[in-house]
Amino acid sequence: MPLQVSDYSWQQTKTAVFLSLPLKGVCVRDTDVFCTENYLKVNFPPFLFEAFLYAPIDDESSKAKIGNDTIVFTLYKKEAAMWETLSVTGVDKEMMQRIREKSILQAQERAKEATEAKAAAKREDQKYALSVMMKIEEEERKKIEDMKENERIKATKALEAWKEYQRKAEEQKKIQREEKLCQKEKQIKEERKKIKYKSLTRNLASRNLAPKGRNSENIFTEKLKEDSIPAPRSVGSIKINFTPRVFPTALRESQVAEEEEWLHKQAEARRAMNTDIAELCDLKEEEKNPEWLKDKGNKLFATENYLAAINAYNLAIRLNNKMPLLYLNRAACHLKLKNLHKAIEDSSKEFCSLEGIECQASEPKLSHHIPSDLHVYIQMA
């Protein structure tokens, strides 16, 4: 049960009441104040202060100030008069309960009204903000529409001006064409007149000077025929080069699938025969394939790792020395490394393998068969 506070002090004027209430060491945050027209309650556990006011007050304009362990109330009277006491005397419990309930109902109604007023004010603010936003958007839209209309008018004027310019240009071109046609017609008429005049003069001269006889005019006609015959065309030759093939038969007569199968079997047989090579002991099965080694060398050449590419081509040549592209690609690697003698040697071997000639690597006699543009070998086959 809370303890009633009785050590309070109050003073009054005709318009206001000043009430001082000690908090007695209670935290300010735990203080609860409830005030209506006829009821004032201060709850700061375990203490409680209640006052059933002598006359009604204006609770909306009244104030409460908390500080220095004291609450000071400034209660403004609705009617200017002096009170005999702060609280009404002779109030029983039922009347107190009715006053409390009435005060609570009044506070609730006032809070409800305040909430509704706040909600109404908020709606009004939102409505006003929405109307302002719509007005701004309408102005922006109108501004954009005006800009579009101005741009459309400008574009229409520019298009009309361009059409007018094109029309004038076409008219000018038409006039120029007509003038050129007139000039050409005049030139043609003049040329026809000249030709007609020349033909008339020639006929007159021929009639007056030509001797009598049947064959007198054949000399000129034969000469004209000789002048009109064109000269014979010059004789030339066309050189055709064919891509060398492994099999000498023509492509239309050969079976490409059977030939590739035969080459594959030959490569497998060579790999089986070369199993005694020491370098093949630690290699995988696909690494023993000359075609795989050739592709590996091409990739190393593309990354400018020429020494590793030469090693790959060397091992591929040991497995199959009948593949001309291996010598060709190795020659390109030597050419990049400035090993010119090695490049000539491999180029000679590649030429010999293409022509079916057996030659020694050390003989430079076949160097004249090497193409002059060795940079073509850099493009890997």
Side-chain angles (χ1 to χ4, degrees), residues 210-235:
K212 295 181 179 180
R214 294 180 179 178
N215 299 326
S216 60
E217 294 179 359
N218 293 334
I219 299 171
F220 299 101
T221 56
E222 290 178 358
K223 188 176 181 181
L224 290 172
K225 289 181 180 179
E226 290 177 358
D227 293 339
S228 62
I229 297 173
R233 286 181 286 185
S234 59
V235 180

Side-chain angles (χ1 to χ4, degrees), residues 4-16:
Q4 293 291 333
V5 178
S6 59
D7 52 345
Y8 61 89
S9 61
W10 70 286
Q11 296 176 358
Q12 65 172 330
T13 61
K14 287 185 178 182
T15 57

Side-chain angles (χ1 to χ4, degrees), residues 135-283:
K135 186 176 179 181
I136 293 171
E137 289 180 355
E138 183 67 22
E139 291 177 356
E140 290 291 331
R141 187 186 63 78
K142 187 176 180 181
K143 185 177 179 182
I144 292 170
E145 291 294 332
D146 293 340
M147 291 175 64
K148 287 183 178 179
E149 185 66 21
N150 293 332
E151 291 295 329
R152 188 186 64 78
I153 293 170
K154 289 181 182 179
T156 305
K157 290 181 179 179
L159 183 61
E160 293 295 332
W162 179 80
K163 286 182 178 179
E164 185 67 20
Y165 175 77
Q166 291 293 113
R167 187 181 62 79
K168 290 181 179 179
E170 289 294 331
E171 291 179 356
Q172 188 69 22
K173 288 181 180 179
K174 187 177 180 180
I175 293 170
Q176 291 178 358
R177 285 197 297 267
E178 291 177 355
E179 290 178 355
K180 287 181 180 179
L181 288 174
C182 292
Q183 291 177 0
K184 286 183 179 179
E185 288 178 357
K186 289 180 181 179
Q187 290 177 359
I188 290 169
K189 287 180 180 179
E190 291 177 357
E191 289 177 357
R192 285 179 180 176
K193 287 180 181 179
K194 289 180 181 179
I195 292 169
K196 188 176 181 180
Y197 177 75
K198 287 180 181 179
S199 63
L200 289 173
T201 54
R202 192 181 296 114
N203 291 332
L204 292 173
S206 63
R207 288 177 183 177
N208 295 328
L209 298 176
K212 295 181 179 180
R214 294 180 179 178
N215 299 326
S216 60
E217 294 179 359
N218 293 334
I219 299 171
F220 299 101
T221 56
E222 290 178 358
K223 188 176 181 181
L224 290 172
K225 289 181 180 179
E226 290 177 358
D227 293 339
S228 62
I229 297 173
R233 286 181 286 185
S234 59
V235 180
S237 60
I238 299 174
K239 294 182 180 181
I240 300 174
N241 298 323
F242 296 96
T243 304
R245 300 181 68 252
V246 178
F247 293 91
T249 56
L251 183 60
R252 62 179 178 275
E253 299 175 0
S254 64
Q255 301 293 332
V256 178
E258 296 178 359
E259 292 174 2
E260 290 181 354
E261 184 179 359
W262 183 83
L263 290 173
H264 184 67
K265 290 181 179 179
Q266 291 294 323
E268 289 182 352
R270 290 193 201 96
R271 288 198 299 272
M273 292 175 62
N274 293 322
T275 53
D276 56 342
I277 300 176
E279 288 84 348
L280 300 179
C281 297
D282 298 332
L283 297 180

